[in-house]
Amino acid sequence: MLDNTSPTHNHPYTKVAIIGAGFGEIAMAIRLQQQGIHDFIIIEKDSDFGGTWRDNQYPGAACDVQSHMYSLSFAPKTDWSKRHAEAPEIFSYIQDLVSHYNLRAFARLNTEVLGVHYQQDRCLWQIHLHDQSILEAQFVVFASGPLHVPQIPHITGIEKFKGKIFHSSHWDHHYDLKGKMLHRLGLVAVQFNISLKLHPNANSSMSCNVLRLGLFHGMSAYIMTWKKSYFPNMNGSASYTGFACTGPMNHAWCLSLNQLS
């Protein structure tokens, strides 16, 4: 909460300012309340809580940590629908936390922090906001993770490409992939999640849209077999258990997809 009337401060004041509204910030806010501290504010540049799970809604977005281990230990969720929850279920869990702990009452949404400066003579932080206003706080908690900022590579001549280009964190759900050749850059977990949803033989409502999947990467990676298949009853192979590659992956991903054709 903000103190707008104290004569000892030049600007609105709070004891603790939490920058961001993802899992880290939510955990901090809940812990403060559990310790009887209610003089804090959550500053978030977007319109809602959720952080990376608010922004990343690409096909197959899911957590690679088992669901029950991904819950907050002091605010657990016990009814996850699957071992590795997908983004909508995780986002719903976050919204339940926000409602249960009344965190919106402490939030200042649609507010971007431009800079934070420490005034040593006053032992206070000054937080400069995009609307030119200033907040003061005794403590500042930074937990504004990097995963909401797309990393767009510089590719010579990309401006001449006539097709659709978008980052996975800004997935265009209105763009029709039917009959399209979808090529992706990079080799991170995101790529596997997308492939599992969009491969033509995947048991997914989206899979029939894509004509062909491609993946370009410059490094090798390791993958493991999954105990639970995401391709049940595919071509009568209900026992298929995921990826057979357990060593460095150069072109193994493309091969494993071709084997599913």
Side-chain angles (χ1 to χ4, degrees), residues 7-254:
T8 61
H9 301 288
N10 301 326
H11 303 280
Y13 170 83
T14 184
K15 187 176 185 66
V16 182
I18 304 172
I19 300 177
F23 255 127
E25 297 85 347
I26 290 172
M28 185 68 192
I30 294 173
R31 277 308 206 195
L32 286 174
Q33 292 188 74
Q34 291 175 342
Q35 294 297 317
I37 301 173
H38 300 277
D39 185 6
F40 67 87
I41 186 172
I42 301 169
I43 308 171
E44 166 59 43
K45 69 179 181 179
D46 211 290
S47 60
D48 201 357
F49 287 77
T52 187
W53 298 109
R54 175 198 61 228
D55 295 340
N56 288 274
Q57 296 291 330
Y58 55 84
C63 186
D64 51 4
V65 177
Q66 293 191 28
S67 300
H68 291 90
M69 297 176 65
Y70 200 69
S71 303
L72 297 179
S73 62
F74 46 86
K77 174 180 169 64
T78 59
D79 59 346
W80 293 102
S81 65
K82 58 184 63 176
R83 178 175 297 175
H84 296 89
E86 296 187 3
E89 188 172 11
I90 297 174
F91 184 68
S92 177
Y93 168 53
I94 291 173
Q95 294 298 311
D96 289 343
L97 292 174
V98 170
S99 298
H100 181 76
Y101 291 95
N102 194 29
L103 297 185
R104 294 190 187 280
F106 299 88
R108 184 166 173 176
L109 303 176
N110 297 304
T111 303
E112 184 176 3
V113 174
L114 300 181
V116 179
H117 305 280
Y118 187 65
Q119 294 191 330
Q120 188 169 356
D121 58 330
R122 301 175 62 216
C123 298
L124 284 177
W125 292 92
Q126 283 200 338
I127 305 169
H128 296 257
L129 306 177
H130 75 289
D131 61 0
Q132 307 304 313
S133 65
I134 296 176
L135 302 180
E136 293 186 338
Q138 183 179 359
F139 303 101
V140 175
V141 179
F142 292 93
S144 54
L147 297 182
H148 66 292
V149 181
Q151 300 297 313
I152 308 296
H154 175 70
I155 302 175
T156 302
I158 193 172
E159 69 280 357
K160 300 178 182 179
F161 181 67
K162 302 301 182 181
K164 180 74 171 180
I165 301 176
F166 51 84
H167 193 276
S168 59
S169 65
H170 291 169
W171 192 274
D172 187 350
H173 290 277
H174 299 290
Y175 184 69
D176 187 6
L177 293 171
K178 184 177 181 179
K180 302 295 193 305
M181 292 186 291
L182 177 63
H183 295 278
R184 292 146 302 133
L185 304 180
L187 190 62
V188 293
V190 171
Q191 305 292 13
F192 303 120
N193 292 339
I194 293 174
S195 295
L196 288 169
K197 281 289 185 182
L198 298 185
H199 186 266
N201 283 349
N203 184 20
S204 166
S205 60
M206 305 181 68
S207 62
C208 60
N209 291 335
V210 181
L211 177 65
R212 178 181 177 184
L213 281 176
L215 176 61
F216 299 93
H217 58 90
M219 299 178 63
S220 299
Y222 283 79
I223 53 178
M224 299 172 60
T225 56
W226 288 14
K227 292 184 179 180
K228 182 177 180 180
S229 172
Y230 272 75
F231 300 95
N233 301 319
M234 183 188 66
N235 296 331
S237 303
S239 61
Y240 183 78
T241 57
F243 311 118
C245 176
T246 55
M249 185 184 68
N250 291 319
H251 300 289
W253 175 246
C254 297

